[in-house]
Every structure is written in structure tokens, then in C-alpha cells.
Amino acid sequence: MHMAKGSAGATRKVLSHLKYIGFRSRELDFDRDTKGLFDEKSDQASLKKFYKSIENEPGLRHSSTVKIHKMIISLKQEDYETYGKDFKEIARYALKGLEERKGMKLEWVGAVHLKEGHPHVHLAIKSIGQDLTNGSNKRLYIDKEDIDFLRNEIDRYTGRDQYLERNNALENDRMDMGLLKELSNTMDRLIKEGERDTHQAKNMADRQAKRQAERDKYDRER
């Protein structure tokens, strides 16, 4: 197989990236069993097989062609522990949804990095897949709407969407309580002002009645 020099160089960058995410030193990881790659079906995916599928793909031979889409799914340490979901299964679920959204079978590998304080998973997705309707090759494009879709899929799978809904409900409850408290304070102020006005009006009426009684008595005595 002949490959242009520029294309070979671009493809070697893919190999370097795959080696980096899958087999780099992870002395900072708190789980030492995360080396290697996984894919849709296996926890021990073959780097060589995935790399060769890119190297031998006719549609990816041009040096300027995007060979893979690189993606990272990351969670905060406390979120990762709270949701209790394995990153491999999160990735498989999300990318299955992306396949259905795009109408194509995707080829990809991933690598879990359980770095303390910042657990995440690297994904490398081949930029050409197979059309689910006719099996023909189809180029994969990923845009902002796809990223939003994946984020929502991950939130749904981990249950984070329910967590956010609960938090939003609590925030709304706090807002409602704050509003009710403000309304209550306003009503108390109006009532007090009304009571004060009523008291002042009564005192004024009493003074007027007293003055009138004094005038009537004065008139009778004359």
C-alpha cells in the first residue's frame, strides 16, 4: 500500500495519540487497572486493529483529512463517586446514542484516566463510519448540537439530570419561600401601617369629639 508522505505523518500522529491515552504512565491515577484501550464490546481493545483501520481507509489518505475526532468525558471527583457509573459504560451509552442520531455505525476506542480529582475518559472516533441504511462509507461530522446531545445523554445515563432537576426544584422552592416571606413581610408592614393609621384616626376623632362636647357645654352654660 502506498501512502503520501504527508498522509503517513498525519496518521502517525493518530498512533502517537492512541499510545498516549492508552498506555502513558499513570502514576497519579488512584485506580492502577486503567491502562489500555476499550471499545464498544471489549475492555481490551486492540490499538493495532483500530490504527490499521484508519491507515487503510481510502477516504482518510489525504494529509489534510481529519482522521479521528478526539473527545473527553469528564466528571468532578464527587460526581463520579456519587453517580457510581463506570466510564466505559457511560462512553458506550453516549456513543450508541450518537450512532442513532447520525444514522451510522461508528468505530472508536477509549481510555479511562482515573486521575484523582479529575477522573475522565478519552475517546478517539474514526471520522468515517458506515451508513446504517445501506452500509456505505459516510464521513462523520460532529457539531455543537451533537456535543449538547452527548452531554444530555450522559446526564440522563448517570442520573445527573434528575440531580439537576432536584436542585432546580429546591432553588425554585427557595425562591418561592423567599417570595412568600417578602409578601408576608409586606403584609405585616401594611397591617401595622393600617393599625397605626386607625389608631391615629381614632385619637383624632376622640379629640374632635371632646372639643365638640366642651363647646356644647359652654353654649349651654351661656
Side-chain angles (χ1 to χ4, degrees):
M1 180 188 70
H2 172 74
M3 293 185 69
K5 184 177 180 180
S7 178
T11 308
R12 280 196 295 272
K13 289 181 180 179
V14 172
L15 180 60
S16 296
H17 179 71
L18 295 176
K19 288 181 177 179
Y20 169 75
I21 66 171
F23 302 96
R24 72 177 179 86
S25 175
R26 300 187 191 171
E27 61 272 8
L28 296 179
D29 293 355
F30 59 83
D31 184 334
R32 301 307 176 93
D33 299 323
T34 60
K35 279 192 176 182
L37 300 173
F38 71 97
D39 59 18
E40 179 186 12
K41 296 179 179 179
S42 174
D43 287 345
Q44 290 86 36
S46 169
L47 182 154
K48 182 178 180 179
K49 180 181 177 182
F50 182 72
Y51 172 69
K52 286 295 182 182
S53 74
I54 295 169
E55 186 181 40
N56 297 331
E57 179 61 58
L60 298 179
R61 287 180 182 171
H62 194 280
S63 60
S64 63
T65 303
V66 174
K67 308 295 188 288
I68 60 172
H69 294 286
K70 293 181 282 188
M71 192 177 300
I72 296 176
I73 300 174
S74 176
L75 291 173
K76 293 180 180 178
Q77 182 75 49
E78 58 268 26
D79 289 345
Y80 182 72
E81 294 172 356
T82 297
Y83 304 142
K85 300 291 185 181
D86 183 89
F87 264 130
K88 294 177 182 178
E89 295 309 315
I90 292 174
R92 286 165 178 154
Y93 179 86
L95 291 180
K96 187 67 176 177
L98 185 63
E99 284 184 336
E100 295 173 0
R101 175 179 170 83
K102 291 295 189 179
M104 57 193 299
K105 184 65 179 174
L106 302 179
E107 193 170 349
W108 59 271
V109 293
V112 176
H113 289 192
L114 293 180
K115 184 174 181 180
E116 190 154 14
H118 181 57
H120 56 280
V121 57
H122 290 265
L123 299 174
I125 310 170
K126 185 178 176 180
S127 61
I128 286 182
Q130 285 189 322
D131 191 297
L132 290 177
T133 57
N134 56 30
S136 63
N137 282 351
K138 183 177 178 181
R139 190 166 296 280
L140 172 65
Y141 298 97
I142 297 178
D143 55 27
K144 181 181 181 300
E145 285 72 23
D146 296 322
I147 297 300
D148 290 339
F149 168 81
L150 288 171
R151 184 179 293 112
N152 290 333
E153 287 292 281
I154 292 166
D155 285 349
R156 184 180 301 110
Y157 183 73
T158 60
R160 185 170 178 269
D161 57 342
Q162 298 177 21
Y163 169 80
L164 293 174
E165 285 177 7
R166 286 196 298 271
N167 268 13
N168 288 337
L170 288 173
E171 283 298 320
N172 289 334
D173 286 346
R174 281 194 284 269
M175 289 174 64
D176 290 343
M177 289 302 296
L179 179 60
L180 289 173
K181 184 177 180 180
E182 180 63 28
L183 288 173
S184 177
N185 291 340
T186 301
M187 290 300 298
D188 287 344
R189 178 173 55 79
L190 291 174
I191 290 171
K192 289 177 181 178
E193 289 177 355
E195 290 176 345
R196 185 177 66 246
D197 291 343
T198 300
H199 182 69
Q200 290 174 348
K202 184 177 183 300
N203 288 341
M204 183 177 292
D206 289 344
R207 287 196 297 270
Q208 289 175 344
K210 184 177 181 180
R211 285 196 297 268
Q212 185 63 43
E214 290 175 349
R215 283 197 296 269
D216 291 344
K217 180 180 179 182
Y218 175 77
D219 291 340
R220 286 195 302 272
E221 290 177 349
R222 291 179 62 189

